[in-house]
Amino acid sequence: MALHMANEHTEFWLALLELGDTEHARRRLWNAYCLLKCPGTVSRFLDIEEQQKAISRLGFSHPHEWNQLSDEIDKFVDERESVPIDSPDLLGDFSAFMDFSDIEFDDDVSFAGRLMIGANFSGAEFRRTAAFEGTEFIGPAGFAGTKFFTDEVPMAEAVNREVSFSKATFHGSAAFSGAQFPEQSDFREALFRQGASFGGAVFVARFVRGDLNYAFVSFKLSKFDGTADFRDAVFGADAALDNSTMKEGADFTNAAFSGTVRFHNCRFRSTTSFRNATFRTPPNFFETELHEDVDFGGIDWKLAEKNYHRSTRRDVLTNEMSIHADHAMRAWERLALIMSQREKREDRHQFFRLKMRAERWRDGIGFLSSLNWLFDALSDYGWSAGRAFGWWAGHVLLIGAVLAGVAMHCSLCAVDGGQRFLGFFRDGVLLSFANSHSFLGLASDGGWLEGSKDAIVDSCCETAAFAAVFGYIGLVQAILGPILLFLVLLTLRNRFRLT
């Protein structure tokens, strides 16, 4: 099982792990040893009430059950040369007690339903399944750099690899920094009483054809009483954090979600960060309670938009998830509502824009979809003041140049010669501005820009033909100008409004 011993007591713990004829007996013997032979260490980390709860969860109803196993445990201890010392000063010292660091486990291994005291699996490697269901971790638990799989295992065997910490309780800190997980990683109903770190952890996914395996990462109903650190974590599989609770802050900075991710009914009770995270599909936050100090800054949401489709499906060859556009629209709409409740205008409008684009994908080509596209192209759905101003100013300058060009062509026929081009261009732009804001009457009789209108119109030698051209241009601008001006004002209002 192991290539080397982490310390002088590692062999003892590995032997104790195998003591007993059945898994049920092995669990009872392990826990009886911890409670009978290590009471000082247990009490160092857990008060009486917590001890009672942990013992109850492990299935011991009364202390006399432990005593029934005392003779077998004493016999086992007498056969060992090195026995772990019961030390009340264990706090923070992994190597002093259950140290499995850098051990390689070649077969299926189960630590489920056991008391683990100062457990250190840092750098360990589990080549097959690893079970920690219902385990009570007393003191700090170390899994930094642990590999719960290896690439050397053939795919035919790898499809069944899994690690389970479901209903496990971490009474101390839990360090999973840099850990690598298999296709199925289960932390359902896990309880983290202090800080939990999954920074840089990789939840690997290998999607295979057929029903052999379905990769997932689950933190459903898990509770984080301390901070939940997922910085730089990689979720290669679909991730489910439904109904989880994070009381002291959650950090998903730079985390990468390659599949679908669900935060249904989650409770984020303190500062939450998704800054610079990567989402390949729209995240689901239905009925989620997000803290008012939540940060979605720096996210490139275009990655989550590129896979909209008329149906929800996964390409088994490329491992790309195609999300139904209608579902994406509802996901963005929910986030926009949450941000509105938190009075986060920028985030709210960001998710509103994503929702509008999803709606366009859902509806396909049509009149409303065309208007939707124009709203996006002209002003980024009323958010980009620069884009809206550019279109407004650009159309004034462009049509002004067209008017100047027509007038320049006409002036070549004039008896008294033509004006200089800059003069025509100036008058053309002013006339274009007046046409775009016809409700101001700038180019009407007595208007401020009447002279510019006369300079352009009167320069034409073919008066009848070109007068009609000027009329059509003016009509188009009388319609287009107010629309573009409205978009400029809308973007300014959205950017600078107080509420």
Side-chain angles (χ1 to χ4, degrees):
M1 177 180 291
L3 296 180
H4 72 285
M5 297 298 106
N7 66 23
E8 68 272 19
H9 301 311
T10 303
E11 186 177 4
F12 175 90
W13 296 116
L14 292 174
L16 181 60
L17 192 66
E18 300 298 325
L19 181 63
D21 297 330
T22 65
E23 174 61 15
H24 178 69
R26 288 191 285 270
R27 291 185 187 185
R28 289 169 59 80
L29 287 165
W30 177 287
N31 292 328
Y33 176 85
C34 292
L35 293 168
L36 290 172
K37 302 298 184 180
C38 311
T41 300
V42 173
S43 62
R44 178 67 178 86
F45 292 99
L46 300 181
D47 58 28
I48 297 299
E49 183 179 355
E50 282 298 321
Q51 288 184 47
Q52 301 276 345
K53 291 180 180 178
I55 292 168
S56 176
R57 285 193 292 265
L58 292 171
F60 288 98
S61 60
H62 195 275
H64 73 79
E65 295 187 37
W66 320 335
N67 297 325
Q68 294 173 0
L69 305 172
S70 179
D71 291 341
E72 188 172 354
I73 291 172
D74 288 340
K75 179 182 178 181
F76 174 78
V77 170
D78 291 341
E79 295 174 351
R80 302 291 111 188
E81 295 182 0
S82 178
V83 179
I85 300 173
D86 184 9
S87 171
D89 300 320
L90 180 63
L91 185 60
D93 186 2
F94 290 139
S95 62
F97 226 69
M98 296 181 180
D99 191 354
F100 300 93
S101 59
D102 300 315
I103 301 298
E104 293 185 7
F105 297 91
D106 296 325
D107 300 318
D108 296 338
V109 61
S110 175
F111 290 91
R114 290 167 170 81
L115 283 171
M116 300 297 295
I117 306 171
N120 182 20
F121 290 88
S122 299
E125 185 173 306
F126 296 84
R127 291 176 174 265
R128 297 186 67 86
T129 62
F132 293 88
E133 297 102 331
T135 302
E136 299 278 336
F137 290 91
I138 300 175
F143 289 88
T146 302
K147 288 185 177 181
F148 291 98
F149 75 96
T150 173
D151 291 330
E152 298 175 5
V153 177
M155 177 60 72
E157 301 178 22
V159 294
N160 294 317
R161 295 180 309 184
E162 63 179 316
V163 58
S164 177
F165 287 87
S166 63
K167 298 185 178 180
T169 301
F170 296 84
H171 294 276
S173 61
F176 287 88
S177 303
Q180 298 184 39
F181 292 88
E183 285 73 17
Q184 297 180 2
S185 304
D186 190 357
F187 285 85
R188 282 177 290 188
E189 299 183 62
L191 174 58
F192 301 87
R193 294 200 175 278
Q194 295 184 24
S197 173
F198 289 85
V202 178
F203 297 90
V204 178
R206 288 180 178 175
F207 294 93
V208 297
R209 297 171 185 243
D211 298 326
L212 294 177
N213 179 59
Y214 181 72
F216 69 87
V217 181
S218 179
F219 283 88
K220 290 183 177 181
L221 294 166
S222 58
K223 294 182 179 180
F224 295 82
D225 291 342
T227 57
D229 181 5
F230 288 92
R231 287 175 295 178
D232 300 298
V234 177
F235 294 84
D238 293 345
L241 291 91
D242 310 55
N243 297 285
S244 60
T245 302
M246 303 184 188
K247 292 183 178 180
E248 295 297 327
D251 194 347
F252 291 89
T253 301
N254 293 315
F257 297 92
S258 297
T260 60
V261 53
R262 299 199 309 270
F263 293 97
H264 297 175
N265 296 293
C266 283
R267 299 294 179 263
F268 295 91
R269 300 294 172 80
S270 188
T271 299
T272 304
S273 175
F274 290 93
R275 176 164 288 274
N276 296 321
T278 301
F279 293 92
R280 295 285 178 179
T281 62
N284 298 290
F285 284 87
F286 297 104
E287 293 300 322
T288 303
E289 180 184 314
L290 276 171
H291 190 264
E292 64 179 18
D293 185 13
V294 58
D295 184 2
F296 283 101
I299 299 178
D300 184 2
W301 292 109
K302 292 181 180 178
L303 295 174
E305 290 186 280
K306 69 177 184 178
N307 294 320
Y308 293 161
H309 196 263
R310 294 296 191 278
S311 63
T312 302
R313 59 183 175 81
R314 186 185 298 282
D315 190 321
V316 296
L317 298 178
T318 64
N319 192 26
E320 290 290 337
M321 174 66 81
S322 297
I323 298 299
H324 197 295
D326 182 65
H327 175 80
M329 188 183 75
R330 291 185 289 110
W332 299 131
E333 189 174 46
R334 174 59 187 169
L335 277 167
L337 176 61
I338 294 174
M339 294 301 103
S340 179
Q341 294 170 343
R342 295 290 178 268
E343 295 188 359
K344 288 180 168 290
R345 293 186 298 104
E346 185 172 352
D347 289 329
R348 184 202 68 79
H349 207 282
Q350 171 71 74
F351 295 122
F352 166 75
R353 300 196 298 273
L354 291 166
K355 176 246 183 182
M356 293 294 290
R357 294 190 185 105
E359 184 176 352
R360 195 168 77 221
W361 273 91
R362 182 197 65 179
D363 295 342
I365 299 174
F367 176 70
L368 291 178
S369 294
S370 299
L371 294 180
N372 186 319
W373 178 84
L374 281 173
F375 194 15
D376 186 7
L378 295 177
S379 65
D380 195 16
Y381 294 107
W383 187 253
S384 176
R387 185 185 302 184
F389 181 81
W391 279 103
W392 172 80
H395 106 280
V396 170
L397 293 175
L398 177 62
I399 296 182
V402 171
L403 292 172
V406 173
M408 192 74 177
H409 172 76
C410 291
S411 68
L412 298 178
C413 301
V415 176
D416 57 353
Q419 301 180 37
R420 292 185 308 146
F421 174 74
L422 290 179
F424 276 123
F425 182 72
R426 179 201 63 199
D427 290 328
V429 169
L430 291 176
L431 178 57
S432 175
F433 181 86
N435 288 339
S436 297
H437 308 86
S438 57
F439 55 89
L440 298 176
L442 297 175
S444 60
D445 293 342
W448 288 358
L449 300 180
E450 181 184 8
S452 295
K453 175 185 177 181
D454 292 341
I456 295 295
V457 175
D458 294 346
S459 65
C460 291
C461 57
E462 302 178 31
T463 305
F466 283 102
V469 172
F470 291 140
Y472 293 139
I473 292 176
L475 178 61
V476 170
Q477 285 195 280
I479 298 173
L480 185 60
I483 294 175
L484 296 177
L485 179 61
F486 167 78
L487 292 177
V488 172
L489 298 176
L490 176 65
T491 57
L492 293 175
R493 178 255 187 190
N494 287 337
R495 283 300 189 102
F496 297 111
R497 66 176 178 173
L498 295 177
T499 59

